[in-house]
Amino acid sequence: MQTQSLWEHTLTFFPQFLAALRERVAPDSTVAVIGASDGKFVLPLAAAGYRVVAIERDPVALHGGDVHLPGDSQARALGLIDRLKLEELHERVEVVEGDFLEDAPLGRHCSAVWTSCSWHYSANHHRPLAEFVDRMQRLVRPGGVFGAEFMMPVERRHHMTEHYTSPERLLPHFLGEWEVLLTLRTNEFTERAHVGRPNDHTHRMGLLMAARTSTFTDHF
């Protein structure tokens, strides 16, 4: 791709999710991306032949704008919408601008849903983590795939909120109608400074992927 995401070089388990899609989901199926940002995952999914519902609340991530870079510099960043047009992928992506916890398109079912390190942000702490997970699950049709990578607790303050979690703590949300396909975790690692984090910092990440095996009643 000619354009590049601001998050291009951050660590991700996305290749494992993409491999699960290729094994379990038909080409041209619809994949929802929660917290789509500027398209780090949306564009590769669309380029791979999937149709994508991209849900994002940040206007700069969607429409572009000025961002502060490490080293106290500033740059003009492309947003998701312009990146899609430049890569000629816009016809394969439906962009939903809104808060997933308030405006999630719960009336539709997709073949897969993916989120990357989104629910640990403080803007999502006013609602229980279980609600975020449940809303994602409700988007997945029978036979579909759920994928989430997330921050695990490292600092003391992380242990004070459930939104920094682990695969083990998430497993109770995937009983009954779900088959857990894969859980992974990293050791602590140092990530280079990036947008929003002006200094090098320590992370630990986890992954949970599951397949939905039966139907359920949507009570929203």
Side-chain angles (χ1 to χ4, degrees):
M1 292 182 180
Q2 296 180 355
T3 66
Q4 195 170 71
S5 168
L6 289 171
W7 311 101
E8 198 72 31
H9 301 295
T10 55
L11 181 69
T12 180
F13 291 116
F14 181 70
Q16 285 86 343
F17 176 72
L18 194 57
L21 293 188
R22 289 170 175 157
E23 179 181 347
R24 292 174 170 269
V25 173
D28 204 40
S29 295
T30 299
V31 180
V33 178
I34 313 305
S37 189
D38 65 356
K40 177 177 178 177
F41 308 109
V42 172
L43 272 72
L45 285 168
Y50 300 100
R51 298 193 177 275
V52 184
V53 178
I55 303 173
E56 176 57 58
R57 63 186 293 178
D58 181 4
V60 174
L62 290 174
H63 305 287
D66 293 331
V67 295
H68 292 283
L69 301 176
D72 202 27
S73 60
Q74 198 167 13
R76 183 78 178 178
L78 284 177
L80 171 61
I81 293 172
D82 285 338
R83 290 191 68 215
L84 289 170
K85 290 178 180 177
L86 287 171
E87 302 290 351
E88 298 183 346
L89 294 169
H90 55 285
E91 293 185 355
R92 302 199 64 82
V93 179
E94 176 187 351
V95 177
V96 178
E97 185 169 3
D99 184 342
F100 176 64
L101 292 174
E102 300 289 347
D103 309 310
L106 295 172
R108 73 170 70 205
H109 286 156
C110 302
S111 294
V113 62
W114 169 255
T115 196
S116 173
C117 302
S118 56
W119 59 49
H120 77 277
Y121 282 104
S122 59
N124 294 318
H125 291 183
H126 66 293
R127 306 278 273 276
L129 176 58
E131 182 176 345
F132 200 116
V133 174
D134 181 66
R135 282 176 172 263
M136 284 184 61
Q137 289 174 325
R138 290 177 180 279
L139 292 175
V140 182
R141 69 181 65 213
V145 176
F146 174 107
E149 60 184 10
F150 44 87
M151 293 301 179
M152 298 178 62
V154 175
E155 303 174 21
R156 182 176 179 180
R157 64 184 178 88
H158 297 161
H159 292 274
M160 305 299 290
T161 173
E162 64 174 352
H163 297 76
Y164 287 85
T165 189
S166 68
E168 292 81 9
R169 292 176 183 173
L170 288 171
L171 287 177
H173 299 289
F174 294 88
L175 302 176
E177 62 201 6
W178 293 91
E179 174 193 359
V180 175
L181 303 175
L182 180 66
T183 62
L184 294 173
R185 76 207 63 224
T186 69
N187 294 321
E188 291 185 11
F189 65 93
T190 300
E191 188 167 73
R192 299 283 301 275
H194 55 70
V195 175
R197 295 295 296 268
N199 302 305
D200 293 356
H201 47 282
T202 301
H203 282 319
R204 191 178 182 207
M205 287 176 60
L207 168 76
L208 187 145
M209 291 197 305
R212 183 181 164 201
T213 58
S214 65
T215 60
F216 57 81
T217 301
D218 190 341
H219 59 261
F220 274 83

